[in-house]
């Protein structure tokens, strides 16, 4: 089948996904015969003025996820045959013969005006795509008609009919969904101006783009994105002028992002191209999104957005409070992670401090502190967030006709998404949020608002004191038993709990020496060094380059962790894995100090799928060395990508022991703790 | 409570007891003890003298009590500790549960500090304390009923320990197949039980016993096994690697099983396990669950050293140091399975069990 393209060297999750899902798809209901009926039904429904999304889900419930990809194929496959193909220098590389063949095949098919009778299932995706591609050229004309139509609010149903006719002519009605959505668009915004219409199309397009990531269709983020898309459409209708800009800006961003053009062709038809296909994508997406909704509860905290999906990113950007600019030249494997030009919007945001309505000032402040890097470290960030939430809860009052439980949860969620925009959540924060939401959900109905608020505040206080402060004390007590006189302890970077352990061990009179290993660009170890030396500890400071040299004199390695995952993998500051590996090679025990609230039931095998990208400029510049200017203007060279990873995953083989508030455990016991801890969490 | 002189002048009390036991212990003796347990209650009466004495003379000494029980060769140290604690409860004149708890705590601390080298002793004390402090059923009862219940429970413990051995033997003998060769290191009553049951189930296997210097544990074990008609071969401790080719599995006991899933056992277990691991032979450990201890040694030196005299048979040149440590720590990595009365476990389950027990 066409979808089965040979695997590419470039890893593109979307492409892989498409290839994977296609064969099973084949919704037979999508046959030619029942298309008109669905359309008619939809039209009827539309005239009944029911919400479009609900309507569309009806015929499409049989749709399988496969249907999502079309828009993208439309953009990629359509190009060769489409007369108005936008020149894309990179695209020629990607265009393999297979695809071209597909395009021509499609073209002939369309000319015939009948869908290929053979294997209707196999063609499902392609009909949609070819369709859109065919539609592309007529669209210019047709979009005009659409606009005209849309300017007459009353005539929406007629327009649908008309459009269906057009569609039927082009693609033999094989894709009823596309007219459907278009219709729905018209329905939602009857009588908007042309400009608005265009904006709308843009959003629709984005929606379609979002739908491309099959991968994420079940995720909360995506559902959210969908909602946001609808909201954005409304907002766009309201303020048309303002709305146009972001899409234009994003378009330019796409153009600038030449690197990305290699993998997935940027949709150059941004303005004029995929008007039909994208809506179809949207409709499908709406449909597809229905069933997994019940899973929503499971994925808290929400999985991260895949940032290699431009449309989603653009959309997210539009709704974002923090307008960050994406960095260019990102490393292939890490495209799915957000990367921004550091601190681009900080001054702007600071200026907006007093105007920001929905955000509580304390949350806003914490967000800015994350953004600027003033607060870092798992515990510090978590505590700051919880305290901000506590303040927000204190100042919260339930709006009339709303329930505290629901409204506050929504409120917290909006805070969280703001914080995510500032900096991706750490797992510890995710767990804390989970705890808080759980507490909110468990509030008894009878409780008065003030009682509920004070109970929540005390819950937050309790979480901080029990899970973080006291937990740290317990960890220190355990860890000190493992320090003997004459030991040489090595630590890496800056971990608050390791620092406390070392200071405490010194206070109780243990005789030991500390080796602090550090690394660029954060050089957090210097902070630790400074504090320890001030306390009178005997320290050695070195960089990670010297790790193999220094390790042979070390007797214990103490490391902090951002999180410990179910398979015992330790997720921590980048470089930790290297230190642990070297220690293991030298048979030096590696002790991980981590509070149990940072444990997570996820399993991760590499550092790629979930990570955080730092500012690439941080590694290209060396402070105080003006002569090292070889990497100046590196962003202009598209062959050069810089990677500044924040975390890495240490396999459990290298870990001798994990010291938690539940005692000293082997890495294999993490799932036990997760299990017990969870249960306990429910009890609280 | 601590005028008790430490018995060890740099020598582990635990290993002293063991050595004494090995001197007395014999198959007949064990059989006799077992028959007695099956029939009635051999452990039922604590020495009347001891109780009477402790009741009469003011300071009841938990250590004396413990030492009394400890002398019984078939009793594991853990059981002796429990019995001593039970005797402590019996002689206690506390009137509330809390008071009793505090008294017990003191007694168990005294026991633990009396012999810091014995893992099963401290594990058993912890376990019993756990039982006393965490049994919610006790809280609603009348104090005397609760006290009686505790005593009863403690006395049952002795039986449980014997039963545990039988359970382990049942579980463990499945792993012994006809024609296999088993390398045994150290003298473990549980291992003996496993081998005995396997042989009585008409399994045909042979056993290699390491000599087990300096206690000569292997000699004792080989004597027992030979009496059962199991073909035995004695090896000197340094011949383990030489013999490993022929061996199908290694079976050892344990003084203690630690949180990591590793074991602490007689000196030489670690090297045996290492050799077996490097030759891809399974290493099985047979041990009762009361030996599970909340310890986590990171390396060999991260243990309370248990010393014992080493007899070399020749005069030691002056200025030569002697390694006197009696045991070593085998990391979980080198162990295949643990046969315990909780079932056949992988090393990583130990921590799970401990967490459930203590958290």
């Amino acid at each position: 089948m066409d979808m089965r393209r040979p695997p590419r060297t470039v890893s593109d999750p979307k492409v892989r996904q498409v290839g994977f899902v296609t064969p099973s798809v084949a919704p037979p209901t999508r046959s030619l015969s029942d298309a008109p009926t669905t359309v008619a039904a939809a039209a009827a429904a539309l005239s009944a003025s029911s919400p479009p999304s609900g309507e569309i889900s009806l015929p499409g419930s049989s749709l399988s996820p496969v249907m999502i990809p079309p828009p993208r194929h439309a953009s990629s496959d359509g190009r060769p045959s489409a007369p108005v193909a936008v020149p894309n220098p990179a695209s020629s590389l990607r265009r393999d013969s297979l695809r071209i063949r597909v395009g021509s095949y499609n073209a002939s098919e369309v000319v015939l005006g009948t869908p290929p009778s053979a294997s209707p299932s196999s063609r499902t995706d392609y009909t949609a795509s070819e369709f859109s591609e065919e539609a592309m050229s007529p669209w210019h004309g047709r979009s005009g008609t659409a606009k005209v139509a849309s300017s007459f609010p009353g005539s929406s149903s007629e327009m649908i009919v008309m459009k269906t006719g057009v569609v039927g002519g082009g693609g033999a009605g094989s894709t009823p969904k596309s007219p459907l959505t278009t219709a729905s668009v018209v329905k939602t915004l009857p009588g908007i101006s042309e400009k608005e219409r265009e904006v709308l199309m843009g959003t629709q397009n984005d929606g379609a783009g979002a739908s491309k990531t099959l991968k994420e269709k079940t995720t909360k983020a995506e559902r959210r994105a969908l909602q946001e898309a609808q909201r954005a459409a409304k907002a766009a209708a309201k303020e048309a002028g303002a709305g146009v800009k972001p899409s234009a800006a994003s378009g330019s961003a796409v153009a600038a992002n030449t690197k990305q053009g290699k993998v997935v062709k940027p949709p150059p038809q941004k303005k004029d191209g995929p008007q039909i296909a994208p809506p179809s994508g949207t409709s499908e997406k709406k449909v597809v999104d229905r069933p997994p909704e019940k899973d929503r509860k499971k994925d808290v905290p929400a999985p991260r957005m895949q940032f290699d999906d431009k449309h989603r990113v653009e959309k997210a950007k539009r709704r974002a409070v923090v307008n960050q600019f994406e960095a260019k030249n990102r490393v292939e494997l890490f495209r799915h992670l957000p990367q921004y030009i550091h601190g681009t919007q900080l001054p702007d945001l600071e200026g907006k401090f007093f105007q920001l309505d929905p955000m509580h000032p304390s949350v806003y402040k914490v967000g800015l502190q994350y953004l600027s890097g003033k607060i870092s470290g798992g515990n510090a960030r978590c505590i700051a967030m919880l305290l901000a939430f506590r303040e927000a809860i204190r100042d919260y009052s339930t709006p009339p006709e709303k329930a505290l439980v629901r409204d506050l949860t929504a409120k917290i969620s909006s805070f969280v998404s703001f914080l995510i925009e500032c900096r991706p959540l750490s797992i510890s924060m995710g767990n804390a949020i989970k705890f808080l939401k759980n507490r909110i959900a468990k509030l008894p109905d009878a409780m008065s608002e003030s009682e509920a608020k004070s109970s929540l505040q005390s819950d937050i206080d309790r979480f901080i004191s029990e899970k973080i402060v006291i937990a740290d004390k317990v960890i220190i007590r355990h860890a000190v038993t493992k320090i003997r006189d004459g030991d040489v302890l090595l630590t890496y970077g800056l971990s608050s709990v390791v620092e406390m352990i070392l200071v405490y061990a010194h206070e109780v009179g243990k005789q030991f020496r500390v080796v602090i290993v550090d690394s660029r660009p954060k050089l957090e170890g210097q902070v630790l060094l400074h504090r320890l030396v001030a306390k009178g500890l005997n320290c050695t400071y070195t960089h990670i380059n010297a790790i193999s040299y220094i390790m042979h004199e070390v007797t214990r390695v103490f490391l902090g962790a951002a999180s410990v995952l179910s398979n015992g993998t330790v997720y921590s500051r980048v470089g930790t894995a290297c230190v642990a590996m070297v220690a293991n090679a030298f048979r030096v025990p590696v002790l991980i100090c981590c509070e149990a609230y940072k444990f997570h039931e996820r399993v991760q095998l590499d550092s790629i799928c979930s990570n955080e990208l730092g500012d690439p400029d941080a590694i290209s510049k060396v402070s105080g060395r003006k002569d090292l200017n070889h990497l100046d203007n590196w962003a202009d060279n598209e062959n050069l990508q810089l990677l500044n990873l924040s975390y890495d995953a240490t396999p459990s083989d290298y870990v001798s022991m994990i010291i938690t508030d539940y005692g000293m455990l082997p890495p294999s016991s993490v799932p036990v703790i997760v299990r017990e801890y969870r249960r306990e969490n429910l009890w609280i | 409570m601590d005028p008790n002189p430490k018995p060890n002048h740099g020598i582990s009390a635990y290993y002293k007891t063991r050595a004494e036991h090995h001197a007395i212990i014999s198959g007949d003796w064990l059989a006799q003890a077992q028959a007695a347990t099956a029939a009635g209650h051999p452990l039922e009466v604590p020495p009347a003298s001891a109780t009477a004495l402790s009741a009469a003379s003011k300071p009841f000494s938990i250590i004396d009590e413990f030492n009394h029980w400890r002398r019984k060769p078939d009793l594991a140290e853990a059981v002796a500790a429990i019995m001593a604690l039970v005797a402590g409860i019996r002689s206690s004149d506390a009137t509330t549960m809390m008071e009793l708890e505090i008294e017990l705590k003191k007694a168990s601390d005294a026991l633990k500090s009396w012999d810091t080298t014995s893992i099963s002793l401290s594990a058993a004390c912890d376990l019993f304390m756990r039982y006393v402090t965490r049994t919610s059923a006790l809280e609603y009862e009348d104090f005397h009923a609760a006290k009686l219940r505790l005593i009863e429970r403690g006395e049952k413990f002795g039986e449980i320990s014997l039963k545990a051995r039988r359970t382990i033997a049942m579980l463990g003998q499945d792993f012994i197949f006809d024609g296999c060769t088993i390398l045994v290191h150290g003298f473990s009553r549980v291992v003996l039980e496993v081998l005995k049951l396997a042989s009585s189930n008409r399994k045909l296997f042979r056993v290699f016993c390491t000599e087990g210097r300096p206690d000569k544990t292997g000699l004792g074990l080989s004597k027992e096994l030979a009496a059962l008609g199991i073909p035995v071969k004695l090896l000197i401790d340094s011949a383990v690697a030489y013999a490993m080719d022929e061996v199908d599995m290694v079976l050892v006991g344990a003084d203690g099983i630690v949180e990591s899933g590793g074991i602490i056992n007689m000196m030489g277990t670690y090297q045996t396990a290492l050799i077996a691991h490097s030759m891809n032979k399974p290493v099985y450990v047979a041990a009762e669950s009361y030996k599970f201890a909340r310890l986590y040694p990171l390396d060999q030196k991260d243990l309370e050293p248990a010393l014992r005299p080493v007899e070399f048979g020749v005069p030691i040149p002056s200025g030569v140091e002697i390694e006197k440590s009696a045991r070593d720590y085998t990391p979980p990595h080198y162990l295949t399975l643990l046969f315990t009365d909780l079932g056949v476990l992988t090393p990583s389950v130990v921590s799970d069990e401990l967490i459930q027990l203590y958290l």
Side-chain angles (χ1 to χ4, degrees), chain B residues 77-136:
Chain B
E77 194 136 294
V79 184
I82 302 278
M83 298 316 271
L85 288 174
V86 168
I89 295 177
R90 191 169 280 151
S91 67
S92 142
D93 38 354
T95 50
T96 64
M97 209 59 205
M98 201 62 202
E99 231 176 302
L100 187 66
E101 233 179 271
I102 294 169
E103 238 170 71
L104 268 181
K105 178 95 181 91
K106 260 193 218 155
S108 80
D109 284 350
L111 268 184
K112 280 198 259 181
S113 63
W114 179 77
D115 181 4
T116 50
T117 57
S118 171
I119 294 158
S120 54
L121 168 63
S122 56
C125 286
D126 288 345
L127 211 65
F128 192 67
M129 288 307 294
R130 192 85 196 148
Y131 175 71
V132 174
T133 52
R134 282 297 173 99
T135 312
S136 53

Side-chain angles (χ1 to χ4, degrees), chain B residues 38-302:
Chain B
H41 254 234
L43 310 162
E44 200 243 309
V45 248
S49 60
T51 358
L53 195 121
S54 60
S57 63
K58 201 72 196 113
F60 162 80
S61 166
I62 189 93
I63 308 295
D64 291 346
E65 185 71 30
F66 173 62
N67 276 332
H68 165 81
W69 286 108
R70 204 161 59 98
R71 302 243 160 69
K72 307 207 166 225
D74 80 314
L75 270 196
E77 194 136 294
V79 184
I82 302 278
M83 298 316 271
L85 288 174
V86 168
I89 295 177
R90 191 169 280 151
S91 67
S92 142
D93 38 354
T95 50
T96 64
M97 209 59 205
M98 201 62 202
E99 231 176 302
L100 187 66
E101 233 179 271
I102 294 169
E103 238 170 71
L104 268 181
K105 178 95 181 91
K106 260 193 218 155
S108 80
D109 284 350
L111 268 184
K112 280 198 259 181
S113 63
W114 179 77
D115 181 4
T116 50
T117 57
S118 171
I119 294 158
S120 54
L121 168 63
S122 56
C125 286
D126 288 345
L127 211 65
F128 192 67
M129 288 307 294
R130 192 85 196 148
Y131 175 71
V132 174
T133 52
R134 282 297 173 99
T135 312
S136 53
L138 293 174
E139 300 199 351
Y140 304 101
E141 276 180 276
D142 157 54
F143 172 68
H144 284 285
K147 194 169 153 181
L148 280 180
R149 179 182 278 236
L150 278 182
I151 292 170
E152 185 196 342
R153 174 75 186 209
E155 278 166 356
K156 261 196 190 143
F157 205 90
E159 298 165 50
I160 290 170
S161 117
L162 273 180
K163 217 192 270 168
R165 266 177 227 161
R166 247 170 285 144
T167 316
I168 294 166
M170 290 295 289
L171 292 170
Q173 60 103 21
D174 286 340
F175 288 80
I176 296 172
F177 51 92
D178 275 344
C180 72
T181 305
I182 305 168
L183 179 77
V184 179
H185 181 74
F187 190 141
S188 158
R189 282 167 285 205
V190 192
V191 170
L192 179 59
E193 190 82 27
V194 173
L195 295 177
K196 209 190 283 176
L197 187 68
S199 127
S200 69
N201 286 353
R202 295 166 191 268
K203 300 216 173 179
L204 298 173
F205 59 97
R206 65 180 173 152
V207 177
F208 287 0
C209 281
T210 56
E211 184 194 5
R213 289 259 298 141
D215 296 339
K216 304 245 183 342
T217 51
L219 287 176
L221 185 66
S222 55
K223 190 175 138 212
E224 292 286 328
L225 293 175
L228 292 169
I230 301 168
V232 194
K233 193 194 240 180
L234 257 182
L235 312 169
I236 54 171
D237 292 333
S238 36
V240 171
Y242 169 82
M244 193 58 80
D245 265 343
E246 292 177 62
V247 169
D248 292 307
M249 68 185 77
V250 175
L251 184 57
V252 292
D255 293 349
I257 301 175
V258 296
E259 181 105 43
S260 62
I263 58 166
I264 294 171
N265 196 27
M266 195 186 114
M267 183 66 86
T269 308
Y270 182 32
Q271 65 193 29
T272 309
L274 266 177
I275 292 167
H277 180 80
S278 73
M279 297 196 186
N280 288 330
K281 312 280 179 178
V283 179
Y284 300 127
V285 178
E288 300 93 333
S289 61
Y290 58 72
K291 285 176 175 167
F292 286 17
R294 287 218 85 186
L295 291 173
Y296 200 134
L298 284 169
D299 48 36
Q300 302 299 328
K301 295 285 153 60
D302 197 17

Side-chain angles (χ1 to χ4, degrees), chain A residues 481-482 484 556 587 589 591 656-658 662-669 672-673 675-676, chain B residues 259-261 270 294-299 301-302 331 334 347-349 351-352 355-356 359:
Chain A
T481 63
K482 292 295 165 200
R484 296 167 301 184
R556 298 270 188 276
R587 301 195 55 82
L591 297 90
S656 316
M657 173 193 286
I658 296 171
Y662 292 97
M664 297 178 281
L665 308 168
S668 57
S669 286
V672 181
I673 291 293
R675 191 177 72 208
E676 303 285 314
Chain B
E259 181 105 43
S260 62
Y270 182 32
R294 287 218 85 186
L295 291 173
Y296 200 134
L298 284 169
D299 48 36
K301 295 285 153 60
D302 197 17
Y334 304 109
S348 58
V349 183
S351 171
D352 193 334
I355 289 169
Q356 301 211 342
L359 287 183

Side-chain angles (χ1 to χ4, degrees), chain A residues 56 122 168 173 183 193 239 333 335 394 401 428 482 491 540 581:
Chain A
I56 286 154
S122 68
S193 73
E239 28 167 353
L333 268 177
R335 286 261 180 77
R394 197 195 58 206
E401 292 171 26
S428 57
K482 292 295 165 200
T491 185
T540 305
M581 185 177 70

Side-chain angles (χ1 to χ4, degrees), chain A residues 322-323 342-353 364 368 371-372:
Chain A
V322 187
N323 284 315
H342 223 65
T344 34
Q345 285 297 307
L346 189 59
D348 179 35
L349 272 180
E350 274 169 346
K352 276 200 280 182
F353 188 90
Y364 197 73
L368 290 187
L371 190 62
S372 66

